[in-house]
Amino acid sequence: EIVMTQSPATLSVSPGERATLSCRASQSVSSNLAWYQQKPGQIPRLLIYGASTRATGIPVRFSGSGSGTEFTLTISSLQSEDFAVYYCQQYNNWRRTFGQGTKLEIK
Amino acid sequence: EVQLVESGGGLVKPGGSLRLSCAASGFTFSSYNMNWVRQAPGKGLEWVSSINSSSNYISYADSVKGRFTISRDNAKNSLYLQMNSLRADDTAVYFCARDGLGAWSFDCWGQGTLVTVSS
């Protein structure tokens, strides 16, 4: 099983600032990496797939980068609606795995 | 409109069984791989199982292997999860999720159904 490790567990950032979230895979997943956003009481929403491709309707302030074992989700200028929990997920093989999540909170 | 609607959750005793269903609409169900993902109360997302479009490729998380069975009926646009030998740590909201075409990321999610395993 590929283990996904996200850091930090909690990130405190002020609105308007940049947020950088990290995700590391225990072995290479190539570019088969997705990011999801989940707000309290809501279902997850796909943000990024293929490590760097924004899903339909996702604002350009969200960007993904990386390949192999190291990945980053960057939110360029935080809006109030961006404070949520973010999960990375690998789909390099049929046994998908999620990271434990990073909670992005208002500083 | 693409829609996934889960049903079948509820309260069950440890060792019991439950069958979840997911009704799909608004897209060609038979063309997509489908998945179950769960989320325990206050916890993160956990992938449970996947099935490809023609049901000839199936995978399970180690935590449910041998106890859960995923299946689908393309004629009925439905996905299922048969859960046997349920344990307290299976308590979670269970989501049905669709794979995107060309990428095995989950591009569409249902609202989830709550399964509570307790005596």
Side-chain angles (χ1 to χ4, degrees), chain A residues 36 38 43 94-96, chain B residues 39 59-60 62 99 104 106:
Chain A
Y36 301 85
Q38 188 179 31
I43 65 175
W94 202 241
R95 294 168 58 82
R96 338 293 178 83
Chain B
Q39 187 169 36
S59 187
Y60 299 97
D62 289 343
D99 270 358
W104 294 345
F106 304 144

Side-chain angles (χ1 to χ4, degrees), chain A:
Chain A
E1 173 183 301
I2 299 175
V3 177
M4 306 301 292
T5 303
Q6 293 185 239
S7 60
T10 303
L11 182 62
S12 299
V13 182
S14 300
E17 293 188 342
R18 174 188 296 255
T20 303
L21 289 67
S22 297
C23 176
R24 174 177 292 177
S26 61
Q27 63 189 76
S28 177
V29 298
S30 186
S31 295
N32 298 312
L33 190 286
W35 290 94
Y36 301 85
Q37 176 193 68
Q38 188 179 31
K39 298 178 183 179
Q42 296 187 17
I43 65 175
R45 177 173 71 147
L46 176 65
L47 297 175
I48 300 285
Y49 63 93
S52 61
T53 302
R54 276 186 302 277
T56 302
I58 301 304
V60 296
R61 65 179 181 273
F62 290 90
S63 63
S65 63
S67 65
T69 61
E70 300 284 343
F71 301 89
T72 300
L73 174 69
T74 301
I75 311 171
S76 59
S77 178
L78 279 164
Q79 307 297 304
S80 57
E81 62 266 29
D82 300 335
F83 292 96
V85 179
Y86 292 82
Y87 297 94
C88 64
Q89 177 232 340
Q90 68 80 19
Y91 51 92
N92 192 58
N93 58 37
W94 202 241
R95 294 168 58 82
R96 338 293 178 83
T97 45
F98 287 94
Q100 81 279 16
T102 290
K103 182 179 180 181
L104 181 58
E105 63 177 28
I106 301 174
K107 186 174 182 180

Side-chain angles (χ1 to χ4, degrees), chain B residues 16-38:
Chain B
S17 297
L18 213 53
R19 189 194 195 207
L20 306 183
S21 298
C22 171
S25 60
F27 65 100
T28 305
F29 180 73
S30 60
S31 296
Y32 288 80
N33 303 331
M34 296 297 296
N35 311 271
W36 289 99
V37 176
R38 69 184 181 183

